[in-house]
Amino acid sequence: MARKTMIEAIRDAMDVAMGLDERVVVFGEDVGFFGGVFRCTQGLQAKYGKSRCFDAPINESGIVGAAIGMAAYGLKPCVEIQFADYMYPAYDQLTQEAARLRYRSNGDFTCPIVVRMPTGGGIFGGQTHSQSPEALFTHVSGLKTVVPSNPSDAKGLLIAAIEDPDPVIFLEPKRLYNGPFDGHHDKPITPWSKHDLGEVADGHYTVPLGKAVIRRPGNAVTVLAYGTMVYVAQAAAEETGIDAEVIDLRTLLPLDLDTIVESVKKTGRCVVVHEATLTSGFGAELMSLVQENCFYHLEAPVMRVAGWDTPYPHAQEWDYFPGPARVGRALIATMEA
Amino acid sequence: MAEAGKLRFHVPEPEVRPGGTPDFSNVPIPKAGSVPKPPIDVDPREIRDLAFSIIRVLDRAGEAVGPWAGMLSDEELLEGLRHMMTLRAFDARMQMAQRQGKTSFYMQHLGEEAVSCAFRRALDKGDMNFPTYRQAGLLIADDYPMVTMMNQIYSNEADPLKGRQLPIMYSSKEHGFFSISGNLATQYIQAVGWAMASAISGDTRIAAAWIGDGSTAESDFHSALVFASTYKAPVILNIVNNQWAISTFQGIARGGAGTFAARGLGFGIPALRVDGNDYLAVHAVAKWAAERARANLGPTLIEYVTYRAGAHSTSDDPSAYRPKAESEAWPLGDPVVRLKNHLIHRGVWSDERHAQAETEILETVITAQKEAESHGTLHAGGKPSIRDMFEGLYAEMPPHLKRQRQQAGI
């Protein structure tokens, strides 16, 4: 047991998985010798050799396509797309191939791959280093989509994803790589070493896919969040004094509907928060499910706080990023509705 | 120096359109036996000219000549002829079945039978093909049951893919035939990944990638060549150039210069161009590439020069974009007829035996068809269950799908 950053926890997960199963291979742009632009694969090539951890050409479709072929052979590739913003060239391979291989071949071939990609904003990443494309994955039948919010979960979820027999999109909020972030960009950040969830167990353990967790118990309103927004939501609750119950979804698909429904039935109110753009975002799915399953328990319309329906800007970072003030206003609005 | 003026936009056009007289006089066909056979460990730079020629074994008289000849016994060639004739008969029956409404869709191999049938016999059990929708000869030549193919085409109760896939999108791991997908070129890079995995695992098996001339324009073609070249993957990169991508002639994918094989040269991948209607040449070239891959010498790119004699699919009418008699004018002829003539030349076959074989093969196909139809066709008889629609997407059915299955009344 030691305090680790999310980067170290993710690296630890791959280290553990590679150590236990020689079918696990890790590759992507700059992940080999150099250890990744975010250092998530540092030391893995030296430890496991070039045939287990290697650099790939700059070709996202090639990386995912090759991984699918390897999985069809019987390996368990865990590949990296340098930024989620650059997954689009691989979208064909992910949606039409990885997602459907088991189904279309009736189990003759399967695709146990993990595609890791740093996601989210709050880092002055501009248009192509800040995107949150999760809704483009949750809409695809056959994929699983995971977004951890802390080192402890990141390790357990990533090991679970690597061991999962189906393709998993593993979105890593890069804003959380070195410490939790509640949207207060003007305050110094706290490193993971000062945070309880930076406590990462040694060796092998898993956090099951498809299970949400309550980060802040409360009775007034349910906040559905994942990734960086978990901390923003917690900060908003503290700052408004509203007794919000903050649920960290962890896995978007399959979704832990039971935990959501139980909470909303208790609170009668629900606010959905994500960094991704509003229209047709994953929040729309969450709202629909809450409305379908909790209609007679709702005391106010379900509200959403999300990124604006614009490309992610550079200079206007903090007017775009849904920070604690905006989330707080939604909490107040739903309590007053 | 040319005078600068307004720019003009260039769109390639085939030489002849419907109503015109087919003309292949500008397609250079080297003499059979004229292309040398290099050792498998040749430096790719030394055989660059092979990407611009055509390796051929069978000459006009039906004799097998040159350095690529002499690899197959009489028995193997007779078997090859049977495979090609079976595929052709299978195609004809399934084409008719589609017209009779027994299935929604079919795609023939007419004129391209040698490519997949001969190639399969150059691979070993355990090797993996990543085919397109026009390589069913890989299954026929590996004795995959025709009834199972038909069950898939009919989407009936015995369909191994449970009615989830469009007809002809077969899948058989056991027969080294990767699940076919509708989106073009995706399998090309997957084949390279499979081959990389085999090398990573210290295995001895190799992969074969398949693509048509039109789909070489897809980005995954480039991805595959980059990865194959970088990691020296044990893969054979096959391009079946049948001159047509639905209605677009090969010049739309290739432009006016070079060959498809030549695309491999820029990646340092040795590239061969072969007469795709010459069973012996296809087999010899495939064997050469397989040995190279197995000897850890890396990938080989092969362009099979052939002609798509039939319509693109049952939904296509080629008379709208090319002359009706074009396939008859194709200078490399018919693969079945050419192998038949060669076997007659060898003294092991005759017109009578050929006619008899045609009858026997047709009977075998009809028997298989009757058996398949006893399990149902698309709109009649036994069907896969509605439950099968929900199952098999994930290893374990997630809660939301269980709810939806319930809503569907199951």
Side-chain angles (χ1 to χ4, degrees):
Chain A
M1 201 77 155
R3 293 265 162 118
K4 284 183 163 62
T5 67
M6 195 137 133
I7 291 167
E8 290 162 341
I10 286 163
R11 184 193 308 149
D12 190 13
M14 284 185 274
D15 190 357
V16 168
M18 290 174 91
L20 289 173
D21 187 346
E22 63 177 17
R23 294 173 302 168
V24 179
V25 292
V26 169
F27 64 100
E29 296 157 18
D30 303 293
V31 310
F33 182 82
F34 178 58
V37 295
F38 290 106
R39 322 309 297 152
C40 288
T41 55
Q42 193 171 30
L44 295 179
Q45 186 177 81
K47 185 167 177 183
Y48 295 101
K50 283 202 286 188
S51 61
R52 301 280 307 282
C53 176
F54 52 92
D55 289 319
I58 303 174
N59 184 324
E60 288 76 14
S61 179
I63 291 168
V64 175
I68 293 167
M70 289 181 182
Y73 175 91
L75 298 186
K76 292 178 80 70
C78 176
V79 301
E80 178 180 302
I81 302 293
Q82 203 157 74
F83 286 86
D85 315 57
Y86 301 133
M87 68 82 185
Y88 302 97
Y91 199 58
D92 189 34
Q93 289 285 351
L94 287 170
T95 58
Q96 308 242 58
E97 299 292 318
R100 299 180 187 173
L101 185 53
R102 177 189 292 277
Y103 188 74
R104 77 173 196 232
S105 71
N106 192 29
D108 198 19
F109 296 93
T110 61
C111 191
I113 65 170
V114 177
V115 184
R116 294 177 42 242
M117 39 183 114
T119 187
I123 56 149
F124 282 97
Q127 295 187 24
T128 55
H129 298 79
S130 308
Q131 294 171 29
S132 299
E134 60 271 16
L136 297 173
F137 297 119
T138 54
H139 191 56
V140 179
S141 311
L143 296 178
K144 295 182 177 178
T145 302
V146 176
V147 192
S149 68
N150 60 75
S152 178
D153 277 0
K155 179 178 171 182
L157 287 166
L158 183 51
I159 293 176
I162 291 170
E163 290 174 356
D164 195 275
D166 289 309
V168 181
I169 306 295
F170 197 83
L171 293 158
E172 300 167 3
K174 56 188 166 295
R175 179 69 234 207
L176 303 180
Y177 269 159
N178 290 304
F181 179 67
D182 62 8
H184 285 294
H185 52 92
D186 43 354
K187 291 181 191 155
I189 49 157
T190 321
W192 281 117
S193 59
K194 303 258 169 59
H195 199 283
D196 283 348
L197 291 167
E199 200 73 52
V200 176
D202 296 330
H204 180 274
Y205 70 91
T206 57
V207 172
L209 306 188
K211 292 273 175 260
V213 65
I214 295 168
R215 291 285 171 219
R216 184 194 187 284
N219 291 301
V221 51
T222 300
V223 181
L224 303 180
Y226 49 92
T228 310
M229 287 300 129
V230 170
Y231 304 97
V232 174
Q234 284 175 290
E238 302 309 323
E239 287 158 28
T240 55
I242 293 169
D243 186 23
E245 179 148 288
V246 177
I247 298 179
D248 179 355
L249 298 175
R250 299 199 289 199
T251 303
L252 307 190
L253 200 124
L255 184 70
D256 185 355
L257 189 60
D258 293 345
T259 299
I260 295 170
V261 170
E262 194 185 334
S263 174
V264 177
K265 281 186 174 172
K266 176 181 74 177
T267 62
R269 294 168 201 273
C270 182
V271 173
V272 176
V273 194
H274 60 58
E275 282 184 68
T277 49
L278 182 80
T279 301
S280 303
F282 189 64
E285 183 62 32
L286 292 171
M287 284 178 79
S288 301
L289 287 168
V290 168
Q291 190 275 139
E292 282 168 20
N293 290 280
C294 311
F295 185 78
Y296 296 104
H297 293 78
L298 285 173
E299 292 167 43
V302 183
M303 297 187 76
R304 274 182 294 177
V305 185
W308 309 118
D309 282 337
T310 69
Y312 207 112
H314 185 246
Q316 302 91 338
E317 175 84 75
W318 305 118
D319 297 296
Y320 183 92
F321 184 92
R326 258 172 76 196
V327 176
R329 283 198 293 278
L331 293 181
I332 293 164
T334 196
M335 294 313 295
E336 289 172 352
Chain B
M1 204 171 95
E3 203 179 315
K6 282 188 181 174
L7 295 166
R8 281 167 298 130
F9 180 55
H10 175 68
V11 180
E13 267 294 320
E15 305 218 356
V16 191
R17 285 296 194 185
T21 309
D23 180 11
F24 289 107
S25 57
N26 68 338
V27 180
I29 308 291
K31 274 181 67 176
S34 64
V35 178
K37 184 181 183 185
I40 56 165
D41 60 351
V42 66
D43 183 337
R45 286 170 298 188
E46 287 174 22
I47 56 162
R48 292 176 67 88
D49 54 335
L50 266 61
F52 300 93
S53 191
I54 302 179
I55 294 165
R56 304 180 63 228
V57 171
L58 293 175
D59 67 11
R60 280 175 198 280
E63 197 173 343
V65 295
W68 296 87
M71 295 180 69
L72 290 164
S73 66
D74 291 344
E75 290 68 33
E76 287 169 321
L77 287 171
L78 287 166
E79 201 180 17
L81 182 65
R82 182 172 60 80
H83 292 147
M84 290 201 287
M85 291 170 75
T86 304
L87 178 56
R88 189 166 289 187
F90 182 91
D91 271 351
R93 293 297 299 186
M94 291 297 101
Q95 176 87 4
M96 202 195 307
Q98 190 276 339
R99 296 296 187 230
Q100 292 166 337
K102 292 174 180 171
T103 185
S104 64
F105 183 72
Y106 191 70
M107 297 177 103
Q108 296 194 84
H109 304 73
L110 195 64
E112 300 177 39
E113 292 90 346
V115 177
S116 51
C117 289
F119 185 89
R120 185 65 191 88
R121 306 305 286 185
L123 290 190
D124 289 348
K125 199 82 193 162
D127 294 338
M128 186 62 71
N129 281 286
F130 286 74
T132 76
Y133 46 66
R134 223 185 292 279
Q135 276 90 41
L138 296 171
L139 290 172
I140 299 272
D142 199 46
D143 296 322
Y144 185 77
M146 266 190 289
V147 178
T148 314
M149 293 169 77
M150 289 167 174
N151 288 336
Q152 196 282 324
I153 290 165
Y154 288 143
S155 286
N156 62 23
E157 66 191 9
D159 173 6
L161 307 182
K162 305 288 181 193
R164 295 174 191 148
Q165 270 278 48
L166 200 64
I168 74 165
M169 306 280 184
Y170 316 107
S171 173
S172 176
K173 193 177 198 170
E174 192 196 335
H175 289 267
F177 192 97
F178 184 72
S179 156
I180 297 179
S181 178
N183 39 338
L184 301 175
T186 48
Q187 73 285 347
Y188 220 55
I189 174 67
Q190 293 164 1
V192 177
W194 195 98
M196 288 164 68
S198 186
I200 285 169
S201 309
D203 200 345
T204 57
R205 296 180 288 161
I206 63 169
W210 291 89
I211 204 166
D213 46 288
S215 302
T216 61
E218 292 278 9
S219 9
D220 280 340
F221 174 72
H222 174 262
S223 304
L225 266 59
V226 172
F227 278 66
S229 164
T230 297
Y231 302 109
K232 296 200 189 309
V235 62
I236 306 172
L237 300 160
N238 296 308
I239 303 171
V240 183
N241 177 6
N242 67 15
Q243 316 297 319
W244 290 95
I246 307 186
S247 75
T248 50
F249 89 114
Q250 51 140 327
I252 294 290
R254 181 176 59 80
T259 63
F260 289 105
R263 304 249 140 125
L265 300 181
F267 296 86
I269 298 174
L272 309 177
R273 212 157 169 259
V274 61
D275 178 347
N277 292 11
D278 180 339
Y279 186 94
L280 285 81
V282 169
H283 180 270
V285 161
K287 198 86 188 164
W288 188 88
E291 280 171 19
R292 250 183 65 78
R294 255 185 259 285
N296 225 34
L297 294 163
T300 304
L301 187 140
I302 305 172
E303 175 185 349
Y304 303 87
V305 182
T306 182
Y307 185 86
R308 194 196 78 210
H312 166 71
S313 72
T314 49
S315 310
D316 176 47
D317 173 17
S319 69
Y321 50 81
R322 69 184 191 189
K324 272 194 175 139
E326 197 177 79
S327 73
E328 287 152 37
W330 175 243
L332 296 175
D334 180 308
V336 175
V337 173
R338 284 176 67 194
L339 183 55
K340 172 192 160 197
N341 289 343
H342 174 59
L343 288 165
I344 292 173
H345 184 90
R346 277 169 96 119
V348 294
W349 201 239
S350 66
D351 282 317
E352 295 72 42
R353 284 170 76 178
H354 193 82
Q356 194 190 346
E358 261 177 347
T359 310
E360 283 166 13
I361 286 167
L362 182 60
E363 274 169 20
T364 314
V365 175
I366 290 172
T367 306
Q369 191 178 5
K370 279 185 185 147
E371 189 187 333
E373 288 179 12
S374 76
H375 297 294
T377 58
L378 180 60
H379 299 296
K383 292 182 192 330
S385 76
I386 302 169
R387 179 175 281 267
D388 285 324
M389 178 167 72
F390 292 95
E391 276 169 3
L393 180 59
Y394 298 90
E396 200 180 321
M397 191 178 292
H400 70 283
L401 272 184
K402 283 184 191 158
R403 286 194 296 273
Q404 288 172 29
R405 190 181 63 183
Q406 239 173 359
Q407 283 165 17
I410 309 149

